[in-house]
Amino acid sequence: LGFDTLSAYGTFDFIPGDMLEVGLGLGVTGMSFDGKVTSTDVGTPGSVSFDEDFALPVLAVTGAVNVGPFEFSALLAGMLERLRTLP
């Protein structure tokens, strides 16, 4: 079983500053699954292999705080799920 991911994000600073920065943007996360399942049952021999690739759009938020010569930054990215049901 194999699982790989690759992510790319682009953000824009909505609050640029010398001490504090906050940004919002979009990105994409690509995922790849591959593997093989083999039956151990004598009555039903065989195997199934799979190789699936797909991309997921994500929302990205960045933040940074500058304290003296140090900068502390964070990146949060994820999918938004619609919680409201349609009538």
PDB file of all heavy atoms in Angstrom, residues 4 6-7 27-33 52-58 79:
ATOM      1  N   ASP A   4       0.914   8.924  -1.181  1.00  0.00           N
ATOM      2  CA  ASP A   4       1.754  10.109  -1.356  1.00  0.00           C
ATOM      3  C   ASP A   4       0.883  11.348  -1.427  1.00  0.00           C
ATOM      4  O   ASP A   4      -0.250  11.293  -1.922  1.00  0.00           O
ATOM      5  CB  ASP A   4       2.567  10.011  -2.653  1.00  0.00           C
ATOM      6  CG  ASP A   4       3.559   8.876  -2.641  1.00  0.00           C
ATOM      7  OD1 ASP A   4       4.210   8.689  -1.597  1.00  0.00           O
ATOM      8  OD2 ASP A   4       3.686   8.188  -3.665  1.00  0.00           O
ATOM      9  N   LEU A   6       1.129  15.816  -2.199  1.00  0.00           N
ATOM     10  CA  LEU A   6       1.881  16.972  -2.653  1.00  0.00           C
ATOM     11  C   LEU A   6       0.947  18.170  -2.541  1.00  0.00           C
ATOM     12  O   LEU A   6      -0.200  18.106  -2.995  1.00  0.00           O
ATOM     13  CB  LEU A   6       2.344  16.789  -4.101  1.00  0.00           C
ATOM     14  CG  LEU A   6       3.081  17.966  -4.723  1.00  0.00           C
ATOM     15  CD1 LEU A   6       4.412  18.179  -4.013  1.00  0.00           C
ATOM     16  CD2 LEU A   6       3.295  17.737  -6.198  1.00  0.00           C
ATOM     17  N   SER A   7       1.409  19.249  -1.933  1.00  0.00           N
ATOM     18  CA  SER A   7       0.562  20.426  -1.710  1.00  0.00           C
ATOM     19  C   SER A   7       1.234  21.679  -2.249  1.00  0.00           C
ATOM     20  O   SER A   7       2.461  21.808  -2.203  1.00  0.00           O
ATOM     21  CB  SER A   7       0.297  20.616  -0.217  1.00  0.00           C
ATOM     22  OG  SER A   7      -0.356  19.497   0.312  1.00  0.00           O
ATOM     23  N   GLY A  27      -5.276  26.849  -2.416  1.00  0.00           N
ATOM     24  CA  GLY A  27      -4.241  25.874  -2.722  1.00  0.00           C
ATOM     25  C   GLY A  27      -4.847  24.597  -3.251  1.00  0.00           C
ATOM     26  O   GLY A  27      -6.057  24.476  -3.419  1.00  0.00           O
ATOM     27  N   VAL A  28      -3.982  23.653  -3.506  1.00  0.00           N
ATOM     28  CA  VAL A  28      -4.407  22.336  -3.982  1.00  0.00           C
ATOM     29  C   VAL A  28      -3.531  21.281  -3.302  1.00  0.00           C
ATOM     30  O   VAL A  28      -2.344  21.488  -3.093  1.00  0.00           O
ATOM     31  CB  VAL A  28      -4.334  22.241  -5.520  1.00  0.00           C
ATOM     32  CG1 VAL A  28      -2.917  22.356  -6.022  1.00  0.00           C
ATOM     33  CG2 VAL A  28      -4.976  20.968  -6.019  1.00  0.00           C
ATOM     34  N   THR A  29      -4.160  20.186  -2.907  1.00  0.00           N
ATOM     35  CA  THR A  29      -3.449  19.049  -2.345  1.00  0.00           C
ATOM     36  C   THR A  29      -3.717  17.848  -3.237  1.00  0.00           C
ATOM     37  O   THR A  29      -4.867  17.478  -3.457  1.00  0.00           O
ATOM     38  CB  THR A  29      -3.911  18.751  -0.906  1.00  0.00           C
ATOM     39  OG1 THR A  29      -3.588  19.865  -0.082  1.00  0.00           O
ATOM     40  CG2 THR A  29      -3.236  17.515  -0.351  1.00  0.00           C
ATOM     41  N   GLY A  30      -2.661  17.283  -3.776  1.00  0.00           N
ATOM     42  CA  GLY A  30      -2.779  16.095  -4.609  1.00  0.00           C
ATOM     43  C   GLY A  30      -2.486  14.853  -3.791  1.00  0.00           C
ATOM     44  O   GLY A  30      -1.569  14.846  -2.973  1.00  0.00           O
ATOM     45  N   MET A  31      -3.280  13.806  -3.988  1.00  0.00           N
ATOM     46  CA  MET A  31      -3.094  12.556  -3.259  1.00  0.00           C
ATOM     47  C   MET A  31      -3.022  11.401  -4.239  1.00  0.00           C
ATOM     48  O   MET A  31      -3.685  11.399  -5.271  1.00  0.00           O
ATOM     49  CB  MET A  31      -4.251  12.326  -2.291  1.00  0.00           C
ATOM     50  CG  MET A  31      -4.333  13.335  -1.209  1.00  0.00           C
ATOM     51  SD  MET A  31      -5.609  12.894  -0.041  1.00  0.00           S
ATOM     52  CE  MET A  31      -5.454  14.236   1.109  1.00  0.00           C
ATOM     53  N   SER A  32      -2.216  10.406  -3.881  1.00  0.00           N
ATOM     54  CA  SER A  32      -2.036   9.229  -4.717  1.00  0.00           C
ATOM     55  C   SER A  32      -2.070   7.986  -3.830  1.00  0.00           C
ATOM     56  O   SER A  32      -1.323   7.901  -2.853  1.00  0.00           O
ATOM     57  CB  SER A  32      -0.704   9.305  -5.455  1.00  0.00           C
ATOM     58  OG  SER A  32      -0.469   8.117  -6.174  1.00  0.00           O
ATOM     59  N   PHE A  33      -2.949   7.051  -4.162  1.00  0.00           N
ATOM     60  CA  PHE A  33      -3.054   5.757  -3.475  1.00  0.00           C
ATOM     61  C   PHE A  33      -2.698   4.665  -4.473  1.00  0.00           C
ATOM     62  O   PHE A  33      -3.200   4.665  -5.592  1.00  0.00           O
ATOM     63  CB  PHE A  33      -4.488   5.498  -2.988  1.00  0.00           C
ATOM     64  CG  PHE A  33      -4.962   6.409  -1.919  1.00  0.00           C
ATOM     65  CD1 PHE A  33      -5.714   7.533  -2.221  1.00  0.00           C
ATOM     66  CD2 PHE A  33      -4.677   6.138  -0.594  1.00  0.00           C
ATOM     67  CE1 PHE A  33      -6.166   8.373  -1.233  1.00  0.00           C
ATOM     68  CE2 PHE A  33      -5.124   6.969   0.404  1.00  0.00           C
ATOM     69  CZ  PHE A  33      -5.874   8.096   0.095  1.00  0.00           C
ATOM     70  N   GLU A  52      -4.881   5.167  -7.747  1.00  0.00           N
ATOM     71  CA  GLU A  52      -5.788   6.302  -7.865  1.00  0.00           C
ATOM     72  C   GLU A  52      -5.070   7.601  -7.520  1.00  0.00           C
ATOM     73  O   GLU A  52      -4.324   7.673  -6.540  1.00  0.00           O
ATOM     74  CB  GLU A  52      -6.984   6.141  -6.928  1.00  0.00           C
ATOM     75  CG  GLU A  52      -7.843   4.930  -7.214  1.00  0.00           C
ATOM     76  CD  GLU A  52      -8.537   5.011  -8.552  1.00  0.00           C
ATOM     77  OE1 GLU A  52      -8.878   6.121  -8.983  1.00  0.00           O
ATOM     78  OE2 GLU A  52      -8.729   3.963  -9.175  1.00  0.00           O
ATOM     79  N   ASP A  53      -5.281   8.635  -8.323  1.00  0.00           N
ATOM     80  CA  ASP A  53      -4.735   9.974  -8.097  1.00  0.00           C
ATOM     81  C   ASP A  53      -5.882  10.974  -8.150  1.00  0.00           C
ATOM     82  O   ASP A  53      -6.760  10.864  -9.015  1.00  0.00           O
ATOM     83  CB  ASP A  53      -3.723  10.345  -9.174  1.00  0.00           C
ATOM     84  CG  ASP A  53      -2.563   9.380  -9.233  1.00  0.00           C
ATOM     85  OD1 ASP A  53      -2.102   8.962  -8.157  1.00  0.00           O
ATOM     86  OD2 ASP A  53      -2.118   9.059 -10.345  1.00  0.00           O
ATOM     87  N   PHE A  54      -5.884  11.940  -7.237  1.00  0.00           N
ATOM     88  CA  PHE A  54      -6.883  12.998  -7.291  1.00  0.00           C
ATOM     89  C   PHE A  54      -6.369  14.244  -6.597  1.00  0.00           C
ATOM     90  O   PHE A  54      -5.415  14.196  -5.821  1.00  0.00           O
ATOM     91  CB  PHE A  54      -8.227  12.550  -6.693  1.00  0.00           C
ATOM     92  CG  PHE A  54      -8.148  12.042  -5.291  1.00  0.00           C
ATOM     93  CD1 PHE A  54      -8.375  12.887  -4.220  1.00  0.00           C
ATOM     94  CD2 PHE A  54      -7.862  10.719  -5.038  1.00  0.00           C
ATOM     95  CE1 PHE A  54      -8.309  12.421  -2.930  1.00  0.00           C
ATOM     96  CE2 PHE A  54      -7.798  10.242  -3.750  1.00  0.00           C
ATOM     97  CZ  PHE A  54      -8.019  11.087  -2.691  1.00  0.00           C
ATOM     98  N   ALA A  55      -6.995  15.381  -6.912  1.00  0.00           N
ATOM     99  CA  ALA A  55      -6.607  16.680  -6.361  1.00  0.00           C
ATOM    100  C   ALA A  55      -7.774  17.266  -5.576  1.00  0.00           C
ATOM    101  O   ALA A  55      -8.932  17.145  -5.992  1.00  0.00           O
ATOM    102  CB  ALA A  55      -6.204  17.626  -7.481  1.00  0.00           C
ATOM    103  N   LEU A  56      -7.470  17.906  -4.459  1.00  0.00           N
ATOM    104  CA  LEU A  56      -8.474  18.538  -3.610  1.00  0.00           C
ATOM    105  C   LEU A  56      -8.178  20.027  -3.468  1.00  0.00           C
ATOM    106  O   LEU A  56      -7.054  20.393  -3.088  1.00  0.00           O
ATOM    107  CB  LEU A  56      -8.461  17.906  -2.214  1.00  0.00           C
ATOM    108  CG  LEU A  56      -8.731  16.419  -2.142  1.00  0.00           C
ATOM    109  CD1 LEU A  56      -8.442  15.905  -0.740  1.00  0.00           C
ATOM    110  CD2 LEU A  56     -10.167  16.147  -2.506  1.00  0.00           C
ATOM    111  N   PRO A  57      -9.141  20.897  -3.761  1.00  0.00           N
ATOM    112  CA  PRO A  57      -8.912  22.331  -3.512  1.00  0.00           C
ATOM    113  C   PRO A  57      -9.012  22.620  -2.018  1.00  0.00           C
ATOM    114  O   PRO A  57      -9.819  22.027  -1.311  1.00  0.00           O
ATOM    115  CB  PRO A  57     -10.053  23.003  -4.290  1.00  0.00           C
ATOM    116  CG  PRO A  57     -11.121  21.971  -4.354  1.00  0.00           C
ATOM    117  CD  PRO A  57     -10.435  20.638  -4.374  1.00  0.00           C
ATOM    118  N   VAL A  58      -8.177  23.526  -1.535  1.00  0.00           N
ATOM    119  CA  VAL A  58      -8.157  23.861  -0.111  1.00  0.00           C
ATOM    120  C   VAL A  58      -8.084  25.375   0.065  1.00  0.00           C
ATOM    121  O   VAL A  58      -7.660  26.102  -0.822  1.00  0.00           O
ATOM    122  CB  VAL A  58      -6.976  23.196   0.624  1.00  0.00           C
ATOM    123  CG1 VAL A  58      -7.109  21.692   0.641  1.00  0.00           C
ATOM    124  CG2 VAL A  58      -5.648  23.599   0.023  1.00  0.00           C
ATOM    125  N   MET A  79     -10.013  21.761   3.797  1.00  0.00           N
ATOM    126  CA  MET A  79     -11.230  21.845   3.002  1.00  0.00           C
ATOM    127  C   MET A  79     -12.362  22.378   3.854  1.00  0.00           C
ATOM    128  O   MET A  79     -12.406  22.146   5.059  1.00  0.00           O
ATOM    129  CB  MET A  79     -11.611  20.454   2.474  1.00  0.00           C
ATOM    130  CG  MET A  79     -10.641  19.903   1.493  1.00  0.00           C
ATOM    131  SD  MET A  79     -11.023  18.232   0.951  1.00  0.00           S
ATOM    132  CE  MET A  79     -12.764  18.202   0.836  1.00  0.00           C
TER     133      MET A  79
END
